Amino acid sequence: MYHSIKKILYATDLSETARDAMRYAVSLAGRYGAEMSSLHVIPDIYEEMTLSTGIDMDLYFGIDRWRSLTDERLASAKDAVLKRIEETCAELHDEVGDCFASCDNVMVKVGHPVKTIIDTAVEGEFDIVVMGTRGHSKFEDLLLGSTANGVIRRCPVPVLVVRLEAPK
């Protein structure tokens, strides 16, 4: 059975590895004439702290104040994602001509990265997820990358995982 690629979800954490992954997502979009959407997930630190420590964060930091900070972080993150996509498009344009990435389809969400990527892929009826192998931390260099590993293991949609290209 032939599976066509019409909708690509590019998941980014703004790392260099994610930047390389975008090159693949853009290449697939151009090759298949597919629509590409970008997703950046901001971990919900409030929820993580509450769950991992058992401390009721409401006692120390009110949820309303936290939500207002989260809204500020979302706006800042969306600007950073747009800037990174624009920079990569400019680089790709210099290298190969047309860039098929769009700054119109950028999503910035708050939540657990693995769950949010999978939920977005399924709800948006994407045909493939493209992402990097690792994020920013040195600890993650020892593993495949906890987010990439989680998405690969649980996502019902095919996942293309790109590792950072070694310098030449």
Side-chain angles (χ1 to χ4, degrees):
M1 181 174 169
Y2 174 75
H3 294 281
S4 64
I5 298 175
K6 296 294 179 202
K7 290 181 73 179
I8 299 167
L9 178 61
Y10 161 64
T12 180
D13 62 0
L14 305 180
S15 66
E16 283 304 310
T17 306
R19 186 176 218 149
D20 274 358
M22 184 183 178
R23 293 172 181 276
Y24 281 86
V26 167
S27 177
L28 285 171
R31 172 88 172 150
Y32 294 100
E35 171 189 319
M36 182 179 134
S37 296
S38 301
L39 171 66
H40 177 68
V41 181
I42 300 172
D44 189 339
I45 297 167
Y46 192 89
E47 182 179 309
E48 289 291 320
M49 289 289 292
T50 300
L51 292 174
S52 65
T53 64
I55 297 171
D56 184 1
M57 296 300 288
D58 287 337
L59 297 174
Y60 301 98
F61 202 83
I63 190 70
D64 292 334
R65 173 72 177 130
W66 181 257
R67 295 288 177 232
S68 71
L69 289 175
T70 299
D71 291 343
E72 292 169 21
R73 287 180 24 210
L74 276 175
S76 175
K78 187 159 188 172
D79 289 343
V81 172
L82 285 170
K83 182 178 178 191
R84 180 62 62 100
I85 290 169
E86 288 168 356
E87 289 169 356
T88 305
C89 280
E91 288 174 14
L92 289 174
H93 183 72
D94 291 343
E95 291 174 21
V96 297
D98 290 334
C99 179
F100 295 93
S102 169
C103 294
D104 297 332
N105 300 327
V106 177
M107 298 170 276
V108 179
K109 298 182 178 183
V110 176
H112 186 277
V114 172
K115 182 179 181 336
T116 304
I117 292 168
I118 293 170
D119 289 350
T120 302
V122 171
E123 291 165 10
E125 298 180 350
F126 287 91
D127 300 305
I128 190 167
V129 175
V130 179
M131 62 189 301
T133 55
R134 301 182 185 90
H136 297 280
S137 76
K138 294 292 182 192
F139 174 73
E140 286 186 82
D141 286 344
L142 300 173
L143 308 169
L144 171 61
S146 57
T147 300
N149 192 22
V151 173
I152 290 168
R153 291 173 31 157
R154 297 182 189 103
C155 191
V157 174
V159 180
L160 172 62
V161 180
V162 179
R163 68 184 174 102
L164 184 61
E165 219 174 89
K168 296 177 182 178

